Each structure stands twice: as C-alpha cells, then as structure tokens.
Amino acid sequence: MNGYGGSILRVNLTTGQITKQPTPPEVARDYIGGRGFGAYFLFKEVPKNAEPLGPENKLIISTGPLSGLMVPGAGKCDWTTKSPLTGGYASASMGGHFTAELKYAGIDSIILEGVSPKPVYLFIDDDKVQLLDATNLWGKGAFELEVDFKHKYGEEYQVAVIGPGGENMVLYACVNHDYGRQAGRGGVGAVMGSKKLKAIVLHGTKSVPVADLAGYRKAGMELYKACKDAEGLAEWTRYGTTIVTSWCDEVGALPTRNFQAGSFEGGKGIYGQTMRKEIVITDKGCFGCPCPCGKYSNMKRYNTQVEGPEYETIGLFGSNLGIGDIQAVAESNRLCDDLGIDTISAGVCIGWAMEAYEKGILTKADTDGLELKFGNIEATFAVVKKIAYREGKLGALLADGVKRASQKLGKGSEKFAIEVKGMEQSSYATHNATAMLLAYMTCDVGAHHNRSWAITYDLQVGRDKVVPEKVARVIWLQNFRPMFDVLGACRLQWVELGINRDLYVPLLEAITGLHRTWEDLEAVGNRIWNITRMYWVREIEGFGRAWDMPSRRFYEEPPKTGVTAGQITKYEDVIRLLDMYYEQRGWNTNGLPTADTLEKLGIASLVA
Ligand code: SF4
C-alpha cells in the first residue's frame, strides 16, 4: 500500500514467537495509521478488564502514512496501551528518529503482547527480528543504555528504552528515545517494564512506496518552503515551546505552587529567554524537521547536559514547585529522563506532596526526613529518585500517581490533587480559562494538553465565557489536532508557524493515492475519539460524567495572588460546559455516546 511499510509485527513476549502479517487495507482505509491504528487494535485485541500490567495488555507502536517521508516533522509515532495510571485509554506520541527507521524496516505497527520470563530487548534489522537477553542491562539508566547500544550497533540504529522507573512500574513511567524524546504520558514505560522489555533497537533500509513521486516531491517542497518563509520561524527555532512561559505567567496560566496560582513571582528565572541565555548550547530536532524545537542545555552548576527542558517541564518543575531557577529545572528534567519517568506527572505529584507537607498533612516521618517545602531544589531531586525506585514511604506513595496518593493519604488532600481521570494535569492553570478547562476535562487520556490547546481561544473570546462556540472549538480541536498523530507527523508546524493545513492535502494524496480533505480527516478523528470514549465505558464500571470533572481547586479555590487572583470558574459553569459538550458530541447526559451516534460514525459493530 502506498505510504505504508506494509506489515504489522507481532511479538509475543511470553512465548518468544515473532510473526508478521500484512497491514490490513481496510484498517488503513478507516483508521489511517498512528493513533488510529492504536485505538483500533487496542479495542479489538485487548480483552475487557485486562490487567494493565499483566500479560493480556498490549503495547501498540504505530507509524502513519507520512512517517519517515520528506514531510516536515514526519518522525512521530504513537504508543497506545491500556493505561496502568488511569485504567483507561493511553496514547503517547514520540518524536525523534525511531519512527522513520521503523517504517524503513517495513513495519506500520509493532504489537507487543505477553510477559517475558526474563529481561529482553527487541532487535529489528529490516527482516531480522530477535528477542535478545537484557538481564545485564536491567537497572541501567536510559542515557547510558542508549549510548551503549549506539556503540554496539552503530549510530544509524535507533533506540527506545525504559529506565528504572519503567522497570519498577512507576505508573507514569515513560519510554525514552534519542536522549531527549519520550513517549511520555499514561504509563507506557510501565507497561513495557511489566513485559520485561528493556529496549527496542532498530534499523531499516527499505523504501516506502508512494503513489505519485513527482507530486510528492512538489507538495513536500511547498510545505518545506512554507515553513522556511514563516514569519515565526526564527523565534520558534530560538526558543521552542519555552517561549510560552513568560506569556503564561502574564496571563495567569503558569501553574504555581501546585496550581494555587497562575503567576509566579520568580517567573523570570525560568522564562524561555533566560533559559536561552543561560544554559542552551544548541538546537535539536526530530526527523525531517525544519524548525527544531528541542533545546540542548548545559547545566554548569551540576556539570550535566540534557535535551530540554521544554515548557511543560519548566512549568511543573519550576513555578509549580516554587523554583525559579532554570538550571535546577533542567537538572530535574535530566533526572526524570534518565530514570524514565514522565516530567508532567512527576511535577504534579511532587507539587501535591509539597502542598501536603506545608499544610502538615505529610510530615518528615512520611518524607524520610526531607524538608519538602516549595522551592527546595535538593528535596526535589531526592524525590524524583525515590519515585523512580519506589523508595521509602514517599517514593511508593507518589509512584502510583496523584489520584491514588491523595486517596491513600486522605485528610482533604484529594481537594488539591490536580488530575482528571487519574492523569496529572499538564502545565496550564485553568482557574479562569473555561475552554482549556473543558479540554482537560474531556481529553481522551486524562488531563493532557496536546489534544485541544484551547487557552489562546479563551483569551480571544473572554476567558470566563461559557458559550456553545467555545465548546465547539474544543471539539473541533479534539477531532483535528490528533490527526497529526494519526498521519505520523508533527502538528507544531501548523500550530506554531501557522502553516496552511491545506498544504498537507495534496501531499497526502500524492503519497497514498487517496484524496482526503481535512473534513474527511476530521471525520476519522471524530470516529477515533468515540472509539476511545467507548474504551473507557467498556473498561470502567459506572464510567460517566464524574470522570470528566476537573480538580476541585479550579471551581472552589480562587488564586490569592497573581493576575487571576480572585477569579474562578463557577461550579454551575463546569456543569454547563459538560452539558453543552455532550450534546454537541451526540452523547447522552452522562457522557456516553448514544447508539445513534455510534451508528452514524460507522463504529457500532466495533464497539458493541
Ligand atoms: Fe520535533 Fe519540535 Fe520539530 Fe515537532 S517542531 S518535529 S516536536 S523538533
């Protein structure tokens, strides 16, 4: 099939059996690739009530039809599984160079199933696929192991690896690749660890067939030219996502001291401009990217280097912990990456613990003697290590995520656990930003920002307004933005450089031979959104509206400081937002897709 590697690689870690099957054309037609393949295979193949860290769960890694081709940022793959953190759907996007090699090995998806009796790594070299012993590699940090593999096999081999966090099944463990790229959210690294799979090492040399070579070259060049000519290219390349830090501080969206406020008095110390001046030494991008957002940093104080931090980590390990020191934030980033835990979830968990400590709910007896106050840099580093190894009372408590930790601790700490559906909220304070709040509430994996980044829309139309247009905007973004994850390319060229999305239409057609407009693609996005919603319904008894509620902080506790001081979303407005959202989605009043909606979307038989 044009645009595809052509095969699905299935690896059973229990038996060691490795098989390949042709990529089903009807699945490619209906779900296209990437996140679409992940949602389809998860729903169809993972049995109901599978234990997320048990042999029945599967980890599905998928490329899309643009992956590995000369398309800006076409280095994205999707990692889908049943989340050990939330018990529902997890899908994490990973950049770098892994995806292209996977496609060149002729593989559209790897489906990992079962549990290996001993640590192994998966080695793929075109058609040679092996499970190899990793007993001596167990316990290694992600950076060291990636270097070791590059020395062993060569720079052209791409590596995805888990750190100790994944081995110890921290419920938000990530997968690391290219030293600074992660499949970060939902605990995909814990699932890999549960399967005793330490790493995937791969290299491919095959060509990817395209339908119209001349058309592909022409449309691809037009897209690259649009990126090169974009007004915002220089600034984006200089700062990457860190550019929004100062903006978030100004508008009251920068999470501060566990989201108690949205502006930070020490903000300047962690702004993108400060970071660029003080620690950035070079820029780093994913495969085929003309506008690299990765910033490689040198932390002189610690004599260490890391790719990052990007905005989410700055917010959650900086202001959210009361730390206005970019070197310290970057060092926390390095520790998390090497140990293999998601910086977003870890930052929220530590922020929650610091607040609990300052309120006297956690004491030194619970923190192994750590003075866990906001702003304590050394304590932050110590807690990151404790989490990765589940060490002591505190490490064990926080390794299971903020929802479980707060339920276990009680004493009112549930009120300031910042999560939706059990996933820690990423780095936008939403006390008075109703579209962004709704985006978090209804996101398909939990409180994640990348499906519907609606905060700028809040400012455009009035941040506390609760109107149908806002809800429609959130839904449109949820259907549209994840399509980049389906196609296997980065969305940031469209988001940040303002590239006309219609430029992708002839390119996709030249590659696949199929004409699809954005409206067609959004329809696929809508179908996938409803499949994943039905996955939650299937897996969680009684699933409904209560799972879409945000942290109480955002409708009960107005910030005392900063530009949003005194501002809050009213409880009635939270309820109205959900009412409007369900109606516009064609779901019932409890948030479940109706039979009619599923029928119209053509997915009734799949989700029956
Ligand atoms: Fe990767 Fe950033 Fe380029 Fe996107 S913009 S492809 S995330 S380097």
PDB file of all heavy atoms in Angstrom, residues 41-57:
ATOM      1  N   PHE A  41      -6.575  -1.412  17.304  1.00  0.00           N
ATOM      2  CA  PHE A  41      -6.035  -2.681  17.810  1.00  0.00           C
ATOM      3  C   PHE A  41      -6.289  -2.841  19.311  1.00  0.00           C
ATOM      4  O   PHE A  41      -6.528  -3.937  19.796  1.00  0.00           O
ATOM      5  CB  PHE A  41      -4.534  -2.794  17.499  1.00  0.00           C
ATOM      6  CG  PHE A  41      -4.244  -3.032  16.040  1.00  0.00           C
ATOM      7  CD1 PHE A  41      -3.420  -2.177  15.321  1.00  0.00           C
ATOM      8  CD2 PHE A  41      -4.801  -4.118  15.377  1.00  0.00           C
ATOM      9  CE1 PHE A  41      -3.150  -2.398  13.974  1.00  0.00           C
ATOM     10  CE2 PHE A  41      -4.540  -4.351  14.022  1.00  0.00           C
ATOM     11  CZ  PHE A  41      -3.713  -3.479  13.322  1.00  0.00           C
ATOM     12  N   LEU A  42      -6.220  -1.729  20.051  1.00  0.00           N
ATOM     13  CA  LEU A  42      -6.475  -1.806  21.498  1.00  0.00           C
ATOM     14  C   LEU A  42      -7.896  -2.303  21.745  1.00  0.00           C
ATOM     15  O   LEU A  42      -8.129  -3.226  22.531  1.00  0.00           O
ATOM     16  CB  LEU A  42      -6.273  -0.425  22.150  1.00  0.00           C
ATOM     17  CG  LEU A  42      -6.542  -0.378  23.652  1.00  0.00           C
ATOM     18  CD1 LEU A  42      -5.379  -0.991  24.429  1.00  0.00           C
ATOM     19  CD2 LEU A  42      -6.750   1.073  24.131  1.00  0.00           C
ATOM     20  N   PHE A  43      -8.845  -1.657  21.073  1.00  0.00           N
ATOM     21  CA  PHE A  43     -10.242  -2.010  21.320  1.00  0.00           C
ATOM     22  C   PHE A  43     -10.521  -3.454  20.885  1.00  0.00           C
ATOM     23  O   PHE A  43     -11.206  -4.206  21.562  1.00  0.00           O
ATOM     24  CB  PHE A  43     -11.188  -1.055  20.584  1.00  0.00           C
ATOM     25  CG  PHE A  43     -12.522  -0.951  21.269  1.00  0.00           C
ATOM     26  CD1 PHE A  43     -12.853   0.175  21.994  1.00  0.00           C
ATOM     27  CD2 PHE A  43     -13.436  -2.001  21.238  1.00  0.00           C
ATOM     28  CE1 PHE A  43     -14.070   0.260  22.666  1.00  0.00           C
ATOM     29  CE2 PHE A  43     -14.647  -1.929  21.902  1.00  0.00           C
ATOM     30  CZ  PHE A  43     -14.968  -0.792  22.617  1.00  0.00           C
ATOM     31  N   LYS A  44      -9.942  -3.835  19.760  1.00  0.00           N
ATOM     32  CA  LYS A  44     -10.267  -5.140  19.178  1.00  0.00           C
ATOM     33  C   LYS A  44      -9.518  -6.287  19.870  1.00  0.00           C
ATOM     34  O   LYS A  44     -10.059  -7.367  20.045  1.00  0.00           O
ATOM     35  CB  LYS A  44      -9.872  -5.097  17.697  1.00  0.00           C
ATOM     36  CG  LYS A  44     -10.597  -6.096  16.856  1.00  0.00           C
ATOM     37  CD  LYS A  44     -10.491  -5.739  15.397  1.00  0.00           C
ATOM     38  CE  LYS A  44     -10.720  -6.918  14.510  1.00  0.00           C
ATOM     39  NZ  LYS A  44     -11.935  -7.649  14.738  1.00  0.00           N
ATOM     40  N   GLU A  45      -8.304  -6.037  20.276  1.00  0.00           N
ATOM     41  CA  GLU A  45      -7.456  -7.167  20.698  1.00  0.00           C
ATOM     42  C   GLU A  45      -7.244  -7.314  22.198  1.00  0.00           C
ATOM     43  O   GLU A  45      -6.953  -8.408  22.668  1.00  0.00           O
ATOM     44  CB  GLU A  45      -6.076  -7.042  20.026  1.00  0.00           C
ATOM     45  CG  GLU A  45      -6.125  -7.193  18.528  1.00  0.00           C
ATOM     46  CD  GLU A  45      -4.748  -7.459  17.942  1.00  0.00           C
ATOM     47  OE1 GLU A  45      -3.791  -7.621  18.708  1.00  0.00           O
ATOM     48  OE2 GLU A  45      -4.662  -7.512  16.706  1.00  0.00           O
ATOM     49  N   VAL A  46      -7.294  -6.210  22.932  1.00  0.00           N
ATOM     50  CA  VAL A  46      -7.038  -6.335  24.373  1.00  0.00           C
ATOM     51  C   VAL A  46      -8.354  -6.680  25.061  1.00  0.00           C
ATOM     52  O   VAL A  46      -9.330  -5.929  24.952  1.00  0.00           O
ATOM     53  CB  VAL A  46      -6.443  -5.025  24.961  1.00  0.00           C
ATOM     54  CG1 VAL A  46      -6.279  -5.138  26.477  1.00  0.00           C
ATOM     55  CG2 VAL A  46      -5.096  -4.733  24.306  1.00  0.00           C
ATOM     56  N   PRO A  47      -8.416  -7.833  25.740  1.00  0.00           N
ATOM     57  CA  PRO A  47      -9.702  -8.247  26.307  1.00  0.00           C
ATOM     58  C   PRO A  47     -10.187  -7.293  27.398  1.00  0.00           C
ATOM     59  O   PRO A  47      -9.377  -6.650  28.073  1.00  0.00           O
ATOM     60  CB  PRO A  47      -9.410  -9.634  26.883  1.00  0.00           C
ATOM     61  CG  PRO A  47      -7.943  -9.763  26.946  1.00  0.00           C
ATOM     62  CD  PRO A  47      -7.343  -8.798  25.976  1.00  0.00           C
ATOM     63  N   LYS A  48     -11.493  -7.226  27.526  1.00  0.00           N
ATOM     64  CA  LYS A  48     -12.109  -6.402  28.564  1.00  0.00           C
ATOM     65  C   LYS A  48     -11.534  -6.785  29.928  1.00  0.00           C
ATOM     66  O   LYS A  48     -11.313  -7.970  30.202  1.00  0.00           O
ATOM     67  CB  LYS A  48     -13.622  -6.654  28.524  1.00  0.00           C
ATOM     68  CG  LYS A  48     -14.399  -5.767  29.453  1.00  0.00           C
ATOM     69  CD  LYS A  48     -15.888  -6.049  29.318  1.00  0.00           C
ATOM     70  CE  LYS A  48     -16.620  -5.266  30.389  1.00  0.00           C
ATOM     71  NZ  LYS A  48     -18.025  -5.540  30.429  1.00  0.00           N
ATOM     72  N   ASN A  49     -11.313  -5.765  30.735  1.00  0.00           N
ATOM     73  CA  ASN A  49     -10.808  -5.956  32.106  1.00  0.00           C
ATOM     74  C   ASN A  49      -9.384  -6.534  32.172  1.00  0.00           C
ATOM     75  O   ASN A  49      -8.982  -7.082  33.199  1.00  0.00           O
ATOM     76  CB  ASN A  49     -11.732  -6.841  32.948  1.00  0.00           C
ATOM     77  CG  ASN A  49     -13.079  -6.188  33.158  1.00  0.00           C
ATOM     78  OD1 ASN A  49     -13.160  -4.964  33.188  1.00  0.00           O
ATOM     79  ND2 ASN A  49     -14.128  -6.979  33.284  1.00  0.00           N
ATOM     80  N   ALA A  50      -8.643  -6.414  31.087  1.00  0.00           N
ATOM     81  CA  ALA A  50      -7.241  -6.870  31.132  1.00  0.00           C
ATOM     82  C   ALA A  50      -6.500  -6.067  32.198  1.00  0.00           C
ATOM     83  O   ALA A  50      -6.715  -4.859  32.338  1.00  0.00           O
ATOM     84  CB  ALA A  50      -6.580  -6.676  29.773  1.00  0.00           C
ATOM     85  N   GLU A  51      -5.645  -6.754  32.919  1.00  0.00           N
ATOM     86  CA  GLU A  51      -4.810  -6.073  33.914  1.00  0.00           C
ATOM     87  C   GLU A  51      -3.751  -5.259  33.140  1.00  0.00           C
ATOM     88  O   GLU A  51      -3.008  -5.819  32.324  1.00  0.00           O
ATOM     89  CB  GLU A  51      -4.159  -7.145  34.812  1.00  0.00           C
ATOM     90  CG  GLU A  51      -2.987  -6.711  35.629  1.00  0.00           C
ATOM     91  CD  GLU A  51      -3.272  -5.511  36.512  1.00  0.00           C
ATOM     92  OE1 GLU A  51      -4.351  -5.465  37.148  1.00  0.00           O
ATOM     93  OE2 GLU A  51      -2.414  -4.622  36.533  1.00  0.00           O
ATOM     94  N   PRO A  52      -3.673  -3.922  33.365  1.00  0.00           N
ATOM     95  CA  PRO A  52      -2.756  -3.108  32.550  1.00  0.00           C
ATOM     96  C   PRO A  52      -1.301  -3.573  32.613  1.00  0.00           C
ATOM     97  O   PRO A  52      -0.573  -3.453  31.640  1.00  0.00           O
ATOM     98  CB  PRO A  52      -2.899  -1.700  33.145  1.00  0.00           C
ATOM     99  CG  PRO A  52      -4.251  -1.680  33.772  1.00  0.00           C
ATOM    100  CD  PRO A  52      -4.505  -3.073  34.255  1.00  0.00           C
ATOM    101  N   LEU A  53      -0.892  -4.110  33.770  1.00  0.00           N
ATOM    102  CA  LEU A  53       0.497  -4.548  33.894  1.00  0.00           C
ATOM    103  C   LEU A  53       0.609  -6.077  33.795  1.00  0.00           C
ATOM    104  O   LEU A  53       1.581  -6.668  34.262  1.00  0.00           O
ATOM    105  CB  LEU A  53       1.089  -4.043  35.212  1.00  0.00           C
ATOM    106  CG  LEU A  53       1.157  -2.508  35.327  1.00  0.00           C
ATOM    107  CD1 LEU A  53       1.650  -2.072  36.701  1.00  0.00           C
ATOM    108  CD2 LEU A  53       2.042  -1.898  34.245  1.00  0.00           C
ATOM    109  N   GLY A  54      -0.374  -6.686  33.199  1.00  0.00           N
ATOM    110  CA  GLY A  54      -0.375  -8.148  33.053  1.00  0.00           C
ATOM    111  C   GLY A  54      -0.194  -8.568  31.606  1.00  0.00           C
ATOM    112  O   GLY A  54      -0.127  -7.735  30.701  1.00  0.00           O
ATOM    113  N   PRO A  55      -0.143  -9.868  31.368  1.00  0.00           N
ATOM    114  CA  PRO A  55       0.156 -10.384  30.020  1.00  0.00           C
ATOM    115  C   PRO A  55      -0.910 -10.083  28.978  1.00  0.00           C
ATOM    116  O   PRO A  55      -0.615 -10.081  27.780  1.00  0.00           O
ATOM    117  CB  PRO A  55       0.292 -11.896  30.247  1.00  0.00           C
ATOM    118  CG  PRO A  55      -0.367 -12.175  31.554  1.00  0.00           C
ATOM    119  CD  PRO A  55      -0.271 -10.934  32.373  1.00  0.00           C
ATOM    120  N   GLU A  56      -2.147  -9.846  29.407  1.00  0.00           N
ATOM    121  CA  GLU A  56      -3.204  -9.626  28.404  1.00  0.00           C
ATOM    122  C   GLU A  56      -3.145  -8.243  27.768  1.00  0.00           C
ATOM    123  O   GLU A  56      -3.655  -8.021  26.679  1.00  0.00           O
ATOM    124  CB  GLU A  56      -4.578  -9.811  29.050  1.00  0.00           C
ATOM    125  CG  GLU A  56      -4.887 -11.244  29.387  1.00  0.00           C
ATOM    126  CD  GLU A  56      -6.292 -11.405  29.933  1.00  0.00           C
ATOM    127  OE1 GLU A  56      -6.809 -10.481  30.599  1.00  0.00           O
ATOM    128  OE2 GLU A  56      -6.874 -12.471  29.698  1.00  0.00           O
ATOM    129  N   ASN A  57      -2.544  -7.303  28.496  1.00  0.00           N
ATOM    130  CA  ASN A  57      -2.452  -5.963  27.911  1.00  0.00           C
ATOM    131  C   ASN A  57      -1.436  -5.977  26.772  1.00  0.00           C
ATOM    132  O   ASN A  57      -0.521  -6.804  26.751  1.00  0.00           O
ATOM    133  CB  ASN A  57      -2.042  -4.935  28.975  1.00  0.00           C
ATOM    134  CG  ASN A  57      -2.306  -3.496  28.517  1.00  0.00           C
ATOM    135  OD1 ASN A  57      -2.989  -3.263  27.510  1.00  0.00           O
ATOM    136  ND2 ASN A  57      -1.776  -2.537  29.230  1.00  0.00           N
TER     137      ASN A  57
END
